[in-house]
Amino acid sequence: MSDDKDNIQLSAVEDHDGILAIRGGGARRDWNGIHYKQGMSAKNVGTTKLSANIATIPPGGVAYAHIHVGFEVILYILEGKVRHEFGPGLKQVLENEAGDFIYIKPDVPHEVFNMSDTEPVVAFVARSSADEWDNIISYDRNQQTDADLLAPGDNEPSA
């Protein structure tokens, strides 16, 4: 799938001298296996500290492993059910469904799976970054961390 994350439609923004609006959530853009309604960010409404949009993971889809570098994310699941694999090596697992809020701390590696082969996952996404996904990096679940390299017992406190 090709990414078109920079396909911003500035003409979709209505500026009412202090309140800005995008009717119907704006055009669709794709990035990292996820479809996004355009939403709002520094790129189209001049936000300085936040961005928000609607994300859709298609049936059987995956938002591939990544890290939000230095910013927070809050999601609210509107439809569907997801599995997050997260943390070093993506060894931890958490499932969420419609009606759940999710907070992802900065710099936590994670990968998101739509658990249905027939229904999409739809979520409202808010970020503490006006740059949307500009500060997101890919994560290799097989990479070793410093903790992985310690021999058994090396991380025990010394007496």
Side-chain angles (χ1 to χ4, degrees), residues 9-155:
Q9 292 183 347
L10 297 176
S11 62
V13 177
E14 298 175 8
D15 188 342
H16 298 277
D17 196 26
I19 295 179
L20 289 87
I22 299 175
R23 307 276 180 183
R28 188 180 112 176
R29 300 182 301 153
D30 296 329
W31 180 79
N32 194 29
I34 308 172
H35 308 305
Y36 289 93
K37 288 255 190 193
Q38 179 171 303
M40 295 182 160
S41 70
K43 296 172 184 171
N44 62 355
V45 298
T47 61
T48 60
K49 297 179 183 172
L50 59 97
S51 62
N53 54 29
I54 300 293
T56 301
I57 303 174
V62 178
Y64 298 103
H66 59 281
I67 297 172
H68 307 147
V69 179
F71 67 92
E72 301 167 297
V73 174
I74 291 178
L75 301 103
Y76 179 75
I77 305 295
L78 297 162
E79 300 174 18
K81 188 171 180 179
V82 296
R83 182 180 75 250
H84 280 87
E85 295 180 5
F86 64 100
L90 305 180
K91 294 177 183 173
Q92 297 179 70
V93 176
L94 177 66
E95 293 181 2
N96 293 97
E97 60 187 20
D100 291 352
F101 278 98
I102 303 164
Y103 170 68
I104 302 173
K105 293 181 179 182
D107 308 314
V108 173
H110 60 283
E111 189 164 42
V112 187
F113 299 84
N114 180 342
M115 296 176 65
S116 172
D117 289 330
T118 59
E119 301 295 324
V121 169
V122 180
F124 174 79
V125 182
R127 300 172 195 82
S128 66
S129 169
D131 297 324
E132 293 181 301
W133 45 67
D134 289 353
N135 295 317
I136 297 178
I137 59 172
S138 295
Y139 178 78
D140 178 359
R141 72 171 49 240
N142 298 315
Q143 76 183 36
Q144 291 187 326
T145 65
D146 290 341
D148 295 332
L149 298 174
L150 292 174
D154 282 354
N155 56 358

